[in-house]
């Protein structure tokens, strides 16, 4: 912990946020890079699935792994304020209680949770700050909230979703399903899935009026956007009471504040 | 006004809104059609520039015109609750005082006002409800507000505007300029104007992040969208205190209400 | 026929093309306006379904109709070089033999033909010039041909079609089905149909490569585009031998000529 | 070259194409990966600017570099059929004569050539096969040719170009300028440049007609598309006589063949 600097603007925490990262796959690597790029965040360690120990390229952040890893001991040796999870669903079963007991925050962007995983995280939310969302990009959550508002403003407008992804993504986009649910649309009827080539990810919500059309479009350029979302969440969760939050809630709150300033 | 019917939902007026329309050009004709299509609105008369008297096709609404028209006498004979103005700037100089004295509301979508016109309307706003915006479509105003919020949420994102119109529109879109101003962008630098063929009107706001892009797009299909905007304004202005309002304010209010319901 | 004017550029026929129009619905009216706007075409008459006689607004072109109309007599009194048909499928059963016998050309843009209608038109093609396509806009036919070429250049690219139309269009776009067939795609799998609001008509063909995406997009602004297509066909068919042609063939020929000039 | 195998399809060379790659920056690395992925191509070596020797990750292809590198000796030791150049303009001054003398083909995608560089390559084209284009993606060249044809088919349509790139790209896209020139448009007037966030590269050509709009859009996903373009060029140049070619010419030829098959 560094000493307090009273000259910093109030929206910046006076001290660094110490973070541990679970998951070191394609998303995890990009997220690590983003966490390292932010002056307020101090990435302390990364946990990967396979055994072995190395450091993240261009840094001295240790990348640890293997079945023998003891999360309690790791936290004792290299304390963190938050754990950010981009690994697999079962990981939370191993760390949730330990982190909850110590009041360490949890940000999970794992997308394939079942009820038992969510229950464990909600339980942890009783004693620490927990946030989970399958898509934590600012863009998707912004479109979700703006879209929900437009639905209320114009309930008679027709709405459909188009999602485009690389050809090997066989299932319907989980983000599109979440968007559909948020907008009160039946996913099976209102989601149109395009699968061609190497499209990273594009989500479009089309609102059709008799004489005008509104389109809200999100284009993903790289998975590093998830790291930006994690940074946004880390900052928004500062000072929050224990509880179970979603990215949509965090963005909604910031949205409300911004709306008051904007009008 | 008739007696109150407490069984009606509060967002619906208990009786019809009687409306007079100024302007019978391309926009005015489309707006007349929309005003006639709404069960809550009763279009009482239309005023055009050229002399003569007829009725609007498919209705018995009189279309009156010419230099001799006496607006005070017209209102005495065929009373209205609101005047909707899609005519030329100077028209307001003729009707503002008369309407203000009688407490008749004014909705103006005239786009080329100078300071003296706006002053007259603001003066009228001291005793009656006045709303003015150069673009009163729900879509453009929604994008303006959502865009302002996104600017506050993500002040470091780059933003540009693309506006596309038919080739004979020689000037930069007034709507694009208004959008730029609302978003704190310098119009001369951040508006890109495409002029080809017969494009009715398309406005796109592009927010660029390092790893994702958000696009808010409005496509105009026909000028009848202005009539839908006038209907939205007529309903939102019901029960409002005298004052000078903009469409953006009305949509912002509805936006705030919808946001509270949505989150 | 007018007298020859040797000062006209060679790409312009030396005499006007006299045209009769079948069909006076939403498309027919727009087509009439376009035919009237071209200096090379002389619209001689319009045939509508319902009885009665009037003139097309802003012109002295007679609009004739009713069950009693005798097409042979009409042609005798007001001769034409081509009949353009935007009416219903059965109309061709009434006029095809008469026109074929006199060598009068036929351009049909009727979309719901069955085999028996096409057979009658193909029969007529043995003695006169006949062209039929369900969508005769230059844009759609250009995209169809460019898309077919790209399929051959890049057979491994994934391809999907998105078509957007107003909400009351319940069936899949016939144009999209034709596009799919031309591109060797299974319509049921590769066409995504969006139905919202008042979208006039948008067709997008997406070619996905591993590291790039190509989109060919056609936006309809109004049905008058069909009239422009009819004018293109009228000029391309000048001097052609009797036969049964499609719009795609005519555009392909012009495409070939343009390619030779372009490279 | 080995003996001919008459069972192979004619579009496949009977033997592998041996290739050397100049340039190992961001584009070069991606291109190396693509060249390695193709069964017909054998990447023999890579030349980089800085001194030192290593191998390309996941392969045993040597990466050689430094001022002392002798291209003639390298070719003698590790012969190639083609050199693919993604390095800097001056590189061609060093290799052109040597390759020309030996009849080794040259494919250059260097974008900032001056007249003296082009002269050297054209000189080499007198005795070997040389191809140069600043953008060798199939997509951009397809859009260039299709766009040129549409210009000829519809000379009165209005045309504008929109190009979108990451915010640090300060100059106008060279590809957009080339597109404008090919389409007979004044770059300064008809190119609209958007610079926001991290957009990899998007080029859109908009053709506006009175009643319809056609859009040809190319989205870049990654620089690996250049590698695909190099592979396309390598195959198209097989069996060609010595000469100076452009990617647009190669794609035009394939375009012509495909058009004949398509119609």
């Amino acid at each position: 912990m560094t000493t307090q600097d009273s000259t910093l603007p109030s929206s910046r925490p006076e001290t660094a946020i110490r973070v541990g990262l679970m998951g070191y796959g394609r998303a995890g690597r990009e997220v690590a890079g983003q966490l390292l790029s932010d002056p307020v965040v101090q990435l302390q360690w990364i946990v990967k699935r396979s055994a072995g120990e190395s450091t993240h390229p261009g840094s001295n952040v240790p990348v640890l792994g293997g079945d023998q890893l003891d999360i309690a001991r790791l936290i004792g040796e290299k304390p963190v304020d938050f754990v950010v999870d981009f690994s697999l669903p079962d990981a939370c079963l191993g760390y949730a209680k330990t982190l909850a007991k110590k009041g360490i925050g949890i940000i999970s962007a794992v997308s394939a949770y079942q009820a038992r995983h969510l229950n464990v995280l909600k339980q942890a939310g009783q004693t620490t700050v927990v946030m989970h969302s399958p898509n934590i990009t600012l863009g998707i959550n912004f479109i979700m909230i703006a879209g929900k508002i437009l639905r209320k403003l114009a309930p008679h407008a027709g709405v459909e979703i188009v999602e485009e992804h690389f050809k090997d993504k066989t299932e319907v986009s989980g983000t599109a399903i979440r968007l559909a649910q948020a907008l009160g649309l039946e996913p099976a009827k209102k989601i149109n899935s395009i699968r061609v080539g190497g499209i990273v990810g594009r989500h479009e919500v089309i609102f059709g009026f008799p004489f005008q059309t509104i389109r809200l479009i999100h284009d993903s350029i790289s998975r590093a956007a998830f790291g930006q979302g994690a940074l946004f969440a880390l900052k928004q969760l500062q000072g929050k009471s224990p509880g179970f939050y979603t990215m949509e809630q965090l963005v909604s709150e910031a949205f409300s504040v911004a709306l008051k300033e904007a009008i």
Side-chain angles (χ1 to χ4, degrees), chain A:
Chain A
M1 290 275 179
T2 65
T3 56
Q4 194 171 332
D5 180 346
S6 62
T7 64
L8 278 172
S10 63
S11 63
R12 274 279 169 102
E14 68 275 25
T15 58
I17 309 171
R18 298 167 303 172
V19 173
L21 172 65
M22 310 288 293
Y24 201 56
R26 286 194 299 181
R29 273 164 222 264
E30 295 280 4
V31 169
Q34 293 307 306
L35 295 176
L36 279 164
S37 75
D38 191 283
V40 177
V41 166
Q42 283 182 352
L43 182 58
Q44 302 294 95
W45 42 259
I46 301 169
V47 170
K48 64 179 166 63
R49 201 162 24 144
S50 55
E53 182 167 345
S54 59
T55 55
H56 182 74
S59 78
N60 57 6
V61 175
V63 182
L64 313 161
D67 293 344
Q68 310 304 323
L69 192 87
D70 180 336
I71 189 83
R73 192 169 142 191
L74 175 60
I75 286 166
E77 288 171 3
K78 295 176 184 284
V80 294
D81 303 309
F82 272 88
V83 165
V84 171
D85 188 0
F86 278 84
S87 69
L88 296 174
D90 282 355
C92 71
L93 306 179
Y95 65 65
K97 277 192 188 164
T98 307
L99 301 183
K101 209 188 304 177
K102 292 183 182 283
I104 296 171
I106 300 169
I107 292 175
S108 167
V110 174
S111 61
Y113 280 147
Q114 293 168 331
R116 63 198 172 103
H117 302 109
L118 288 170
N119 287 341
V120 162
L121 287 176
K122 282 174 184 167
Q123 181 72 24
Q126 295 188 347
T127 51
T128 192
V129 168
V130 179
M131 194 214 77
H132 170 256
S133 276
N135 185 316
I136 67 166
T137 61
L138 178 62
I140 283 294
N141 284 278
F142 172 81
I143 284 178
M144 197 179 295
I145 298 162
K148 281 169 82 167
I149 292 170
L150 189 49
R151 282 289 271 171
K152 298 223 172 259
L153 287 182
H156 299 303
V159 190
E160 294 212 26
I161 293 169
V162 181
E163 55 103 349
E164 302 178 3
H165 285 88
F166 48 96
K167 71 167 192 272
D168 292 337
K169 183 178 177 73
T170 50
E171 79 285 5
V172 173
S173 150
T175 297
I177 293 172
R178 183 100 170 200
L179 268 171
Q181 289 165 341
L183 299 176
L185 305 172
E186 206 177 315
K189 285 192 182 168
K190 299 297 188 183
I191 297 176
N192 303 271
S193 298
I194 312 291
R195 292 292 174 272
V196 293
I199 296 174
V200 178
R202 178 181 174 95
H203 290 86
E204 175 170 1
V205 187
I206 309 173
F207 287 80
F209 296 78
F211 312 112
Q212 56 190 318
T213 310
I214 299 173
R215 295 169 193 268
L216 309 179
I217 301 176
H218 182 260
D219 276 303
S220 291
I221 297 168
S222 98
R223 290 181 179 80
F226 297 133
Q228 291 286 317
L231 290 171
F232 181 91
L234 282 167
K235 291 169 188 179
Q236 288 289 126
L237 288 170
Q238 290 297 101
K240 278 259 185 297
S241 308
F244 181 81
Y245 302 87
T246 66
M247 189 68 174
E248 195 195 331
Q249 282 174 315
L250 298 188
V251 177
S252 285
E253 282 174 23
F255 203 102
S256 272
V257 172
L259 176 58
K260 284 195 191 89
E261 290 171 19
I263 63 178

